[in-house]
Amino acid sequence: MELTTFLEDDKRVKLYNDAKDLFANGDHIKALEIIEDMILVHKEDKNSWVLHNQQGDMFNDLAAKAVNPYVDFAYMLGSVGCYSKDVLLSRPCAHGLYYLSEVSGSVLYYKKCVTVAKQGLSVTFPDDTESFAQGILQNLVIDMKEDLESLIKDAESETVELKGLLQQDCEPEVLESKKSLEPVKNEFKGLRSFWLGLDVKVKRDFMKVSVADLMSFVEGVHHRPGRDALKQILDSAKEDRKWTFWMCRTNCSKKFSSAEECKSHLEQEHAADFKPSREMDMVRRIGKEWARKILVGGWEPVDTVAAVEMIKNRLADVKAFSYKNGWSKKWPLAADEERSKLLKEIKNLLVMFCDLKILPCNIRDWVKHYSVTHLKNLNVSEQSLVDSHLVDTPQSICFLECHKLSYILKLLKRIKCERDDGTNLVCRAVDSILGSTRSKEKIDFDPQFSFLLLDRRLLKSNNAPFVDEGEINVFDPNVHYGKAHAQGDDIISWLTDYNSVEKTFPRPIREHNLDIWVAVLRAVQFTCKTLRTKYAKKVQIFDYFAAFLVAEKLCKSEYERRRNLKEDKWNSYASLLCNRCEEGFPGNFVKTKLFLCAVRDILEEASDVTFDLPDIEGCMNLISELKSLNDDIVLKSLRCLKSVVTFKILLIDSKILLVDNSRISLLENLTRLSIFDNRTYILQLLKPFLLNEIMNMESKAKSDAAEADLLLEEEKKNSKPSQIQSKKKKNKSKKRTSTSMSSPLSKPGEHLEPDSTSPTVEEDSMEPGDTVDQEEVMKNMPGEDSQSEHLEPALGEVSARYNSALDMTLKALLNIKILKEDLMHNMQPFQHQIPSALQNFFTAFVSEVIKTE
């Protein structure tokens, strides 16, 4: 039996639940991947709304957790895009739109919120839904009426308040981060100092990375899969000579070599564009040629009377006028300040619309037609206008009088120049994400592709990063780095910065930025839905205008008929319209309904058009009651309403272009997110490898220095016995007094400076048998006369111990990190060998140093 919905398939339901569990456990990338794949497979399923609801909830949660406010907005717009896929999700969609309005201050989303909430109030929920989906529906329905009515009230209130604020030209509020990020601490001072002390040649050689060594390192860390992945990347780089490519993040996973190819794929395969079914309904922007004509023109008022006289009587001369970019300086000008001012305003608006790409061809054509019609009314033939080149230039506007120029200006001023839909916020979100992950340094190769050549700018300091196209160049390393200046320690910052590095390797490329990628895709599709609505509105306006023209034609026919009839034979315009409504348009209900709407608007002197007709019978009764309406009122209403409809037809195209601009902007950001730079993989392998290399270099340098110190100390050790013997002879030849007794103890500072003859720690270690009992020495000091005889040997030994202790202190000061642990362990043997005064001094001094370190 064929399944009618994926909810009847246990495996599919399990997959759906697995995605929910993955998301709950923090693996939102995999969860989104599963749901996105299911949506593509089951997009025609009657219960596909369940998948859209789940994906919308996921983006809702991601938005709540986002620290960056622009990323928060992008996720929320993606969430709204998910909910907008099905009318059953009108409630969460309305709430999402309300949130977007709150964070962006957009009146547009408040209006959309009201529309969607009202739509939600009229939704009929299905009763035959599977039990799995029924539980979700129950959550959507609970207190739905009260909730949406309250939301509508709040949104309408906020709309009124926000419009008032916008009229005051308030500065837009800048979104602030939800959390403040702590500054990153610098933990590589030692490594920076080491790098700064290296020879320039060593630094330049460090920039050349052996592919074989890197491959070996990767295999040791990531084993065979990592090595194979790296080889594949390097082979691709060698073949394509480019690090970057574009890749669709849906399950089609197609790769592209250019942004245009990727963009075209997204438009054609993933609903990132909308085009109307009829080619004639397609809105088109004016081309570069007309934009240039508008920009460079002089826009000075023409002396219309003199110009018309030239066209009629000197057409051959007029034909010979030279035109540059659609303008001729041969036409006679008028000194009319008011017209000149109006023309300058018209030009400025048209130039701005061209720059914003919101000037549609229909407005250009209407303005041209309006100007040509004015000249025709002055008895200038259409062929003469063609011969005069006035049908192909905006200069024809300069023939118009003030009131007609004012009418054009009135229309142009009603064109909206921007759409407050938060597209700029999404762009900032993408900028922030790409800014933290984009590779900002070049990586090139040597001619044999055996060495990776790092960006030589890393050898310098304070170099602003640039974003390249990922192109790979081939250089001779010696020439490439030959004149590179090596100053500063930027390379250490680069090696220890992992923001632009993939955290998992090897990782499927599809998972790269998948969350924000799908969110922006939903935002593009949501904008395309708005485009579809705008095009439907355009068709509706055109159909209404067609019905209106039928009514106008009836009145014009009656006007012509009256010329040959007496007044008592005339039919009133209102009665004619009423009779035509009763006839209707058999077989075309839409046309019948719109004709009724048009006639009702004419007879009621409506200031705007209406398309809704909930009660046809009631509308017919209303029209019948107005059957005797005065002809003058009907004619006046016809003129006013035609102007309103004309403006709507002209403005709808500019509105469509404004929405399409948002779609294009979002699509460009989606395309930017589709790019993948293999350097993000390379850097994850390269940075640890290089950091390991430079740390090994530093460690070897320290080891070599320590070995040199040991050799030096060994030489000093060999010369020490002769120095001690000479000192003892000097001590024996001197007479010691009570004052001189205390000299070694009263001048400890003399031994704090580094001494070239200081023994090593190993040389200063003492055997237990060498211990000197201080109390015993003091007992053998009966008087001043016997001090020299009894104290000299003991004092020599104490001095040796004292010198040893001070030497150890000195070593601790010179290399406290290496010796402090050993020093702490060797404190105990000295407690019974050093006089208490020295012991206290030594303990206090060394402990304070260790504590400070």
Side-chain angles (χ1 to χ4, degrees):
M1 179 180 177
E2 186 178 353
L3 298 176
T4 59
T5 173
F6 77 95
L7 294 178
E8 295 177 359
D9 186 340
D10 292 339
K11 290 183 179 179
R12 293 291 178 182
V13 172
K14 182 181 182 303
L15 196 60
Y16 171 86
N17 288 325
D18 287 345
K20 290 182 66 176
D21 292 340
L22 285 167
F23 189 86
N25 293 327
D27 192 354
H28 67 278
I29 295 293
K30 190 63 180 177
L32 283 168
E33 183 180 327
I34 292 172
I35 294 297
E36 181 66 14
D37 290 349
M38 293 183 72
I39 287 174
L40 290 174
V41 173
H42 304 290
K43 57 185 175 183
E44 303 299 330
D45 194 302
K46 68 174 185 178
N47 287 315
S48 61
W49 64 267
V50 174
L51 300 172
H52 294 305
N53 179 67
Q54 182 57 42
Q55 193 176 65
D57 289 348
M58 287 178 174
F59 284 129
N60 213 331
D61 290 346
L62 289 174
K65 295 174 184 177
V67 175
N68 186 310
Y70 304 117
V71 176
D72 166 30
F73 184 90
Y75 280 142
M76 206 61 210
L77 187 57
S79 176
V80 168
C82 295
Y83 294 137
S84 68
K85 295 287 185 179
D86 199 292
V87 70
L88 295 177
L89 304 176
S90 296
R91 183 181 185 181
C93 185
H95 277 281
L97 289 165
Y98 190 89
Y99 178 80
L100 292 176
S101 301
E102 284 188 311
V103 298
S104 66
S106 170
V107 175
L108 172 70
Y109 287 124
Y110 278 128
K111 290 181 177 179
K112 282 183 173 290
C113 171
V114 172
T115 301
V116 173
K118 288 180 178 179
Q119 174 185 268
L121 291 174
S122 62
V123 170
T124 302
F125 289 89
D127 296 326
D128 59 343
T129 310
E130 287 71 14
S131 58
F132 182 88
Q134 200 64 41
I136 302 174
L137 282 178
Q138 288 177 358
N139 291 330
L140 293 173
V141 174
I142 293 175
D143 300 327
M144 180 174 177
K145 186 174 184 297
E146 296 81 359
D147 177 46
L148 291 181
E149 286 176 348
S150 174
L151 193 65
I152 291 170
K153 182 179 178 181
D154 292 343
E156 289 177 338
S157 174
E158 292 289 344
T159 301
V160 173
E161 182 178 347
L162 197 55
K163 280 185 175 179
L165 291 173
L166 291 175
Q167 290 174 356
Q168 299 174 16
D169 295 328
C170 295
E171 288 290 328
E173 183 178 356
V174 179
L175 301 186
E176 296 181 357
S177 298
K178 300 175 183 177
K179 301 175 184 177
S180 58
L181 298 177
E182 295 183 1
V184 179
K185 297 180 180 178
N186 186 2
E187 300 177 353
F188 296 92
K189 288 184 178 180
L191 206 57
R192 293 179 188 278
S193 300
F194 172 72
W195 174 263
L196 290 172
L198 288 176
D199 181 72
V200 174
K201 185 179 184 305
V202 175
K203 291 180 180 179
R204 290 173 179 169
D205 288 341
F206 184 77
M207 306 297 283
K208 300 182 293 185
V209 182
S210 167
V211 171
D213 291 347
L214 177 62
M215 197 77 76
S216 177
F217 174 82
V218 171
E219 187 171 14
V221 176
H222 298 283
H223 309 295
R224 188 61 180 268
R227 189 182 192 280
D228 292 343
L230 175 59
K231 186 177 184 304
Q232 184 178 356
I233 292 172
L234 295 175
D235 289 345
S236 173
K238 185 175 181 179
E239 180 180 352
D240 301 332
R241 299 296 174 98
K242 197 170 185 179
W243 291 114
T244 56
F245 59 88
W246 286 258
M247 181 172 175
C248 180
R249 299 297 196 273
T250 65
N251 62 355
C252 74
S253 296
K254 288 189 177 180
K255 292 175 64 175
F256 311 96
S257 58
S258 71
E260 288 305 316
E261 286 182 15
C262 180
K263 195 181 299 182
S264 177
H265 168 79
L266 293 170
E267 287 180 332
Q268 296 173 16
E269 303 297 331
H270 300 292
D273 191 13
F274 176 79
K275 289 182 172 59
S277 56
R278 296 187 305 181
E279 182 68 20
M280 60 179 292
D281 294 330
M282 187 70 186
V283 178
R284 304 189 185 283
R285 296 173 175 84
I286 65 165
K288 292 181 180 179
E289 181 182 353
W290 261 90
R292 185 172 59 255
K293 288 179 180 180
I294 291 171
L295 178 63
V296 302
W299 293 85
E300 293 293 337
V302 173
D303 186 338
T304 308
V305 175
V308 169
E309 189 66 26
M310 289 177 68
I311 294 172
K312 289 180 179 179
N313 302 322
R314 296 163 50 195
L315 186 59
D317 294 339
V318 172
K319 285 182 179 181
F321 283 177
S322 61
Y323 280 82
K324 185 177 181 180
N325 292 319
W327 294 79
S328 175
K329 295 182 179 180
K330 298 293 185 179
W331 291 107
L333 301 180
D336 191 328
E337 186 176 345
E338 185 177 358
R339 286 173 65 199
S340 179
K341 181 181 178 182
L342 289 170
L343 285 168
K344 289 294 188 294
E345 285 190 70
I346 290 172
K347 175 192 175 179
N348 291 338
L349 286 174
L350 291 175
V351 169
M352 180 174 65
F353 297 154
C354 289
D355 291 341
L356 296 173
K357 299 181 179 179
I358 56 172
L359 184 59
C361 290
N362 73 327
I363 288 183
R364 177 203 62 189
D365 296 341
W366 174 78
V367 172
K368 282 169 50 182
H369 177 74
Y370 193 67
S371 305
V372 168
T373 302
H374 172 68
L375 292 172
K376 284 182 178 179
N377 292 336
L378 297 176
N379 298 320
V380 178
S381 67
E382 187 170 349
Q383 185 59 46
S384 296
L385 291 172
V386 173
D387 294 339
S388 304
H389 308 289
L390 290 175
V391 294
D392 296 320
T393 171
Q395 194 170 13
S396 59
I397 303 174
C398 298
F399 285 75
L400 298 177
E401 300 303 325
C402 281
H403 69 281
K404 292 186 179 296
L405 291 173
S406 297
Y407 186 70
I408 293 175
L409 189 59
K410 180 182 177 182
L411 167 70
L412 297 179
K413 284 184 174 179
R414 292 184 59 181
I415 295 177
K416 290 182 63 177
C417 295
E418 59 182 16
R419 187 170 184 263
D420 191 16
D421 56 5
T423 302
N424 60 321
L425 303 182
V426 176
C427 183
R428 292 181 189 179
V430 173
D431 285 342
S432 67
I433 290 171
L434 294 181
S436 63
T437 59
R438 183 193 292 120
S439 178
K440 303 175 183 65
E441 290 79 24
K442 291 177 64 63
I443 301 178
D444 298 307
F445 283 92
D446 69 321
Q448 291 73 38
F449 277 76
S450 57
F451 284 93
L452 290 166
L453 307 182
L454 301 185
D455 196 332
R456 58 186 176 185
R457 296 177 310 117
L458 291 170
L459 288 171
K460 303 177 184 179
S461 288
N462 301 321
N463 287 287
F466 69 95
V467 180
D468 64 351
E469 296 295 327
E471 301 288 344
I472 294 175
N473 297 309
V474 174
F475 298 112
D476 179 342
N478 296 327
V479 176
H480 186 57
Y481 296 116
K483 295 183 180 180
H485 296 288
Q487 56 189 18
D489 57 5
D490 281 7
I491 191 168
I492 304 301
S493 301
W494 179 74
L495 286 175
T496 55
D497 175 19
Y498 280 79
N499 287 329
S500 60
V501 170
E502 273 291 343
K503 303 303 185 290
T504 307
F505 182 84
R507 180 187 186 188
I509 295 175
R510 185 188 177 189
E511 295 180 6
H512 181 73
N513 287 339
L514 179 66
D515 44 4
I516 191 69
W517 191 92
V518 176
V520 176
L521 175 63
R522 291 291 175 266
V524 175
Q525 292 170 346
F526 180 64
T527 308
C528 289
K529 183 178 180 181
T530 303
L531 268 180
R532 184 183 297 109
T533 302
K534 291 292 183 185
Y535 271 110
K537 186 78 170 177
K538 177 181 178 178
V539 172
Q540 192 177 42
I541 292 173
F542 270 89
D543 289 346
Y544 178 96
F545 190 55
F548 175 86
L549 291 177
V550 171
E552 184 186 49
K553 187 176 180 181
L554 279 173
C555 295
K556 284 184 177 181
S557 298
E558 175 60 22
Y559 177 79
E560 294 294 330
R561 194 181 72 87
R562 288 178 181 182
R563 291 184 176 184
N564 302 319
L565 295 174
K566 294 181 179 180
E567 188 173 348
D568 60 343
K569 300 292 184 180
W570 293 359
N571 295 318
S572 69
Y573 296 142
S575 63
L576 282 173
L577 295 175
C578 182
N579 293 338
R580 190 67 182 84
C581 286
E582 290 175 354
E583 294 175 13
F585 297 89
N588 194 331
F589 175 75
V590 174
K591 191 172 182 179
T592 299
K593 187 181 78 167
L594 287 174
F595 185 77
L596 288 174
C597 289
V599 172
R600 182 186 63 182
D601 291 341
I602 292 168
L603 299 182
E604 286 190 326
E605 301 178 79
S607 59
D608 199 358
V609 300
T610 54
F611 302 107
D612 59 317
L613 195 63
D615 183 8
I616 294 180
E617 185 178 349
C619 182
M620 282 299 303
N621 292 334
L622 177 63
I623 291 172
S624 298
E625 292 173 4
L626 297 171
K627 198 171 187 177
S628 59
L629 194 66
N630 184 276
D631 286 347
D632 292 337
I633 295 176
V634 174
L635 290 175
K636 180 183 177 182
S637 181
L638 274 169
R639 287 193 298 270
C640 292
L641 202 59
K642 186 174 185 178
S643 178
V644 170
V645 179
T646 300
F647 272 34
K648 282 188 175 294
I649 289 174
L650 294 172
L651 293 174
I652 189 66
D653 278 12
S654 65
K655 290 179 180 178
I656 288 174
L657 291 181
L658 202 56
V659 177
D660 195 50
N661 280 350
S662 293
R663 179 196 69 83
I664 292 171
S665 176
L666 290 170
L667 181 58
E668 286 176 351
N669 282 292
L670 182 62
T671 305
R672 290 169 62 205
L673 288 170
S674 300
I675 199 169
F676 183 78
D677 193 332
N678 268 323
R679 285 174 294 187
T680 60
Y681 274 172
I682 287 285
L683 291 177
Q684 191 206 358
L685 309 173
L686 192 58
K687 286 188 176 184
F689 170 73
L690 291 174
L691 197 57
N692 181 64
E693 288 291 300
I694 195 171
M695 292 180 77
N696 285 342
M697 290 167 60
E698 182 190 29
S699 177
K700 186 177 184 304
K702 287 181 178 180
S703 175
D704 291 346
E707 185 176 349
D709 287 344
L710 286 175
L711 291 174
L712 182 61
E713 293 299 336
E714 189 66 30
E715 292 178 3
K716 294 173 183 176
K717 178 181 177 182
N718 294 334
S719 63
K720 181 178 177 181
S722 60
Q723 295 175 5
I724 293 175
Q725 289 296 327
S726 63
K727 287 182 180 180
K728 285 185 177 180
K729 288 179 181 179
K730 288 182 181 180
N731 289 335
K732 287 180 180 179
S733 64
K734 290 183 178 180
K735 292 288 183 179
R736 303 283 183 147
T737 61
S738 58
T739 304
S740 64
M741 265 178 53
S742 61
S743 60
L745 306 182
S746 61
K747 297 183 181 180
E750 292 178 359
H751 301 273
L752 294 179
E753 295 298 323
D755 189 348
S756 61
T757 60
S758 298
T760 62
V761 176
E762 289 77 11
E763 292 169 352
D764 290 328
S765 59
M766 294 172 285
E767 296 297 328
D770 295 334
T771 303
V772 177
D773 191 339
Q774 182 184 355
E775 291 183 2
E776 183 176 347
V777 172
M778 294 302 290
K779 286 178 182 180
N780 293 325
M781 297 193 309
E784 193 177 52
D785 296 335
S786 62
Q787 285 178 355
S788 176
E789 180 182 353
H790 298 285
L791 187 58
E792 185 173 67
L795 188 57
E797 292 181 15
V798 170
S799 296
R801 301 289 182 228
Y802 165 73
N803 288 336
S804 175
L806 288 180
D807 284 336
M808 291 191 68
T809 303
L810 180 60
K811 288 297 181 182
L813 290 171
L814 293 176
N815 203 348
I816 196 70
K817 284 185 176 179
I818 299 175
L819 291 179
K820 69 179 181 180
E821 182 176 352
D822 181 71
L823 202 57
M824 292 299 293
H825 285 112
N826 290 331
M827 287 286 291
Q828 191 64 32
F830 295 114
Q831 292 181 358
H832 301 292
Q833 301 175 27
I834 306 172
S836 60
L838 288 176
Q839 177 185 326
N840 294 337
F841 166 77
F842 175 81
T843 303
F845 187 86
V846 176
S847 299
E848 181 63 23
V849 171
I850 293 174
K851 180 180 178 182
T852 303
E853 178 64 22

